[in-house]
Amino acid sequence: MNYKELQDRHDAKLKEYEALLHLKRSVKMTRVNRIKAATRLLQTEDFLQGVNIYYSCFSAILSVFSLLTERKELSIWSTIMTICLAISIVYLNAQKYGNRSQELKTNYIALHGLLFDIEYAESKNESNSFPDLYQKYCKLLQTSENHLRIDYLTQKKEDKELSGIEKIEYWIFVAIKWLFRVFIIGFPIFITGIMIHQGAFDGIFG
């Protein structure tokens, strides 16, 4: 074997090793982003379940009060909240946040196992195992939904690696999320305040 052949073999090994390191970085990034996605979905499900209970209580209270007075406002708003509750329940069931979170959890656990395989191949200098490991990675990508950009940004924020534009993008998302939640929680309280101001409860409390 001449020098050129040795050099070509060395270059090929080096490229395979670099590809293995790149795969390792990709698997690590995908895994942490999937963890963030699973957490986000679970938190969303918990929030919506809490909203359902919250609206159920308001709707039940207004329904009882509507029976104690002749004013139609209470009955109307009770019906509106019942409709909102029904829509929320249907939406929650359709999105299947809990099941999707569990699927992502199964996926990132499998990615963790793949990461061990890559690190083992790296320690043994088995860069020729790259094709098989890459195929496993591709299959794991196909067996679960992808994470969202906010999951990626959340992880980068925790690592303090957000760029200027990414910081703006991240905080816009956070602001929209909390404005939406405040609106959802505050809506029944706001309507109740209006009805109290208009005297809708006067016939009940004197």
Side-chain angles (χ1 to χ4, degrees):
M1 185 178 295
N2 58 37
Y3 174 78
K4 186 177 184 305
E5 290 176 339
L6 288 173
Q7 185 64 39
D8 290 343
R9 177 173 294 185
H10 176 268
D11 291 344
K13 278 282 186 181
L14 183 60
K15 288 181 179 179
E16 288 178 347
Y17 184 73
E18 289 175 347
L20 189 66
L21 293 180
H22 178 72
L23 178 62
K24 180 181 177 181
R25 288 192 296 269
S26 297
V27 171
K28 278 185 174 180
M29 183 177 297
T30 303
R31 177 178 171 271
V32 295
N33 289 336
R34 294 285 164 89
I35 291 174
K36 294 300 176 186
T39 302
R40 171 179 52 80
L41 290 172
L42 201 57
Q43 289 175 345
T44 302
E45 183 182 45
D46 290 342
F47 173 74
L48 289 177
Q49 286 179 344
V51 167
N52 289 342
I53 296 172
Y54 178 64
Y55 271 71
S56 295
C57 292
F58 261 97
S59 178
I61 291 171
L62 290 181
S63 295
V64 171
F65 284 165
S66 68
L67 298 175
L68 303 176
T69 180
E70 295 181 355
R71 300 194 62 157
K72 295 182 179 180
E73 293 93 330
L74 291 176
S75 180
I76 292 172
W77 284 112
S78 174
T79 302
I80 291 174
M81 288 191 183
T82 300
I83 293 172
C84 291
L85 176 62
I87 293 173
S88 177
I89 291 173
V90 170
Y91 177 80
L92 179 61
N93 291 336
Q95 294 301 312
K96 300 179 180 178
Y97 288 111
N99 292 339
R100 290 162 59 193
S101 177
Q102 186 59 45
E103 288 175 0
L104 282 167
K105 182 178 180 180
T106 301
N107 188 259
Y108 71 67
I109 290 174
L111 285 168
H112 190 59
L114 177 60
L115 189 59
F116 274 122
D117 292 340
I118 294 172
E119 289 175 346
Y120 178 81
E122 182 184 359
S123 66
K124 296 296 183 179
N125 198 26
E126 297 176 350
S127 55
N128 58 340
S129 61
F130 169 78
D132 292 336
L133 294 171
Y134 181 74
Q135 285 297 322
K136 289 181 180 179
Y137 178 55
C138 290
K139 287 181 180 178
L140 287 174
L141 290 180
Q142 294 171 358
T143 57
S144 174
E145 68 177 274
N146 199 13
H147 54 271
L148 300 182
R149 179 160 175 78
I150 185 58
D151 304 313
Y152 168 74
L153 293 175
T154 301
Q155 182 58 43
K156 288 195 71 173
K157 179 181 180 297
E158 290 185 1
D159 295 337
K160 299 181 179 180
E161 296 177 352
L162 287 175
S163 66
I165 297 298
E166 288 174 338
K167 286 180 181 178
I168 295 173
E169 188 178 356
Y170 172 80
W171 288 112
I172 287 175
F173 174 84
V174 171
I176 292 173
K177 181 183 76 173
W178 283 106
L179 284 173
F180 174 75
R181 293 192 174 190
V182 168
F183 172 78
I184 292 296
I185 294 171
F187 177 70
I189 299 174
F190 175 73
I191 296 302
T192 302
I194 292 177
M195 288 190 293
I196 291 174
H197 179 71
Q198 293 179 345
F201 297 95
D202 290 351
I204 301 172
F205 300 108

